[in-house]
Amino acid sequence: MTDVVLRRSPALAPFLTRGALLSPFKRPRPDAGFPRTRLVLPALRVDLARLAAYERVCGFATGDDALPVTYPHVLGFPLAMRLMSGRDFPLPLLGLVHTSIGITQHRPLPATGVYELSVYVAELAPHRRGTEATVVTGMRVGEDVVWESRSTYLARHRITTAPEPAPERVGPAPLPPLAEWRLAGDIGRRYATASGDRNPIHLHPLTARLFGFPRAIAHGMWTVARCLAAYGTPQVGVVRAEFRAPVLLPGTVTYGAEGDRFELRDGDRLHVAGTVNGSPT
């Protein structure tokens, strides 16, 4: 793998545009080649005004000198988009679905700190609905890894070889409901402004319908961040979340939690399921 060192965080708009224009020409498959480049931003400082906007839209307390556990994903997003919008990334950016994230935070992250940020594509893998890419994001202070994540993104397409039958999945019993949240229709646009993720499936019903959704859907990372803001997260620990079904906007969802588990539901439909553990393994 080759490291490419960047002088500043790249602007998102050109990569989102490039990714949209190239999407119709992509031919996704799990054995395709993918970029073997790790993008590195060696001296990242957090924009505190943008951080505060993110904290407000996700429900985190503002003003603390500590990054929310999900915020480094936002910092790494422009680097991920640079990789995933390129000609050598085989999955179409438009319609790409974030399916899971696992986060390990090794120590508290001061908002005023200086970090080395890196992002790379780790692998492609077959999925019963298409091809899934794993993207790894990491933050270091000196030689120490202080935060890292693995996200999976699914490109849906016709399977050319018969996949193994998926094991029958029995949904877990609902967790005790703790809150009901009425989500406004502009949540996707507000989160896009704070995070930079302007995927059209999140912004407006008309653009969401182009990808088969009846209305705009909430960002997966907004739903997990909103759950973690309610749950509370330790300064050191492991978070895992799966995005099971889209949250339509506007809409009403129920937040539940018990022990180390949290979830977001709409009746019997499970949208997000996750766990929080207090120490990395």
Side-chain angles (χ1 to χ4, degrees):
M1 184 171 294
T2 303
D3 283 359
V4 174
V5 178
L6 308 178
R7 291 189 301 170
R8 63 179 67 88
S9 185
L12 269 169
F15 299 127
L16 294 173
T17 301
R18 180 176 71 177
L21 293 174
L22 290 176
S23 287
F25 305 100
K26 298 294 182 78
R27 298 294 179 263
R29 65 182 197 277
D31 60 345
F34 59 89
R36 307 287 179 162
T37 300
R38 181 172 60 182
L39 300 180
V40 180
L41 196 58
L44 174 71
R45 293 181 181 274
V46 174
D47 182 329
L48 298 181
R50 186 180 174 195
L51 170 62
Y54 174 87
E55 291 169 331
R56 285 192 294 270
V57 74
C58 295
F60 291 107
T62 59
D64 295 337
D65 185 24
L67 298 181
V69 67
T70 49
Y71 196 65
H73 174 87
V74 172
L75 299 175
F77 187 70
L79 281 67
M81 286 300 99
R82 173 167 166 168
L83 291 173
M84 292 194 288
S85 66
R87 293 182 182 277
D88 54 351
F89 184 73
L91 309 186
L93 191 62
L94 287 183
L96 205 61
V97 178
H98 197 181
T99 51
S100 74
I101 188 168
I103 297 171
T104 302
Q105 183 161 311
H106 296 276
R107 72 189 205 194
L109 305 177
T112 52
V114 181
Y115 302 97
E116 179 191 275
L117 181 71
S118 65
V119 178
Y120 65 93
V121 179
E123 63 178 349
L124 299 182
H127 185 279
R128 60 191 176 86
R129 293 183 178 175
T131 298
E132 204 167 53
T134 298
V135 177
V136 176
T137 303
M139 290 216 308
R140 291 177 179 266
V141 174
E143 296 298 317
D144 298 330
V145 176
V146 295
W147 185 100
E148 55 194 332
S149 75
R150 295 178 69 89
S151 280
T152 55
Y153 295 90
L154 173 65
R156 296 176 179 173
H157 60 85
R158 181 177 297 178
I159 307 298
T160 56
T161 58
E164 294 184 9
E168 186 174 347
R169 196 174 195 176
V170 178
L175 299 178
L178 300 181
E180 183 178 88
W181 297 334
R182 295 183 178 181
L183 309 182
D186 67 346
I187 284 290
R189 294 187 291 276
R190 289 170 56 203
Y191 183 82
T193 299
S195 69
D197 184 352
R198 299 184 182 277
N199 188 320
I201 63 177
H202 304 302
L203 303 181
H204 193 277
L206 291 177
T207 52
R209 287 188 195 116
L210 295 175
F211 299 95
F213 298 102
R215 304 197 298 276
I217 66 172
H219 294 73
M221 285 306 297
W222 178 85
T223 62
V224 72
R226 183 67 187 89
C227 287
L228 291 172
Y231 182 94
T233 52
Q235 290 293 294
V236 174
V238 178
V239 173
R240 294 185 176 89
E242 292 185 1
F243 308 112
R244 301 283 188 85
V247 176
L248 297 176
L249 300 172
T252 301
V253 292
T254 300
Y255 164 73
E258 185 176 52
D260 65 352
R261 298 166 56 204
F262 64 88
E263 69 179 20
L264 204 60
R265 284 185 179 268
D266 177 5
D268 292 332
R269 193 178 199 198
L270 179 60
H271 295 288
V272 179
T275 58
V276 178
N277 299 305
S279 61
T281 55

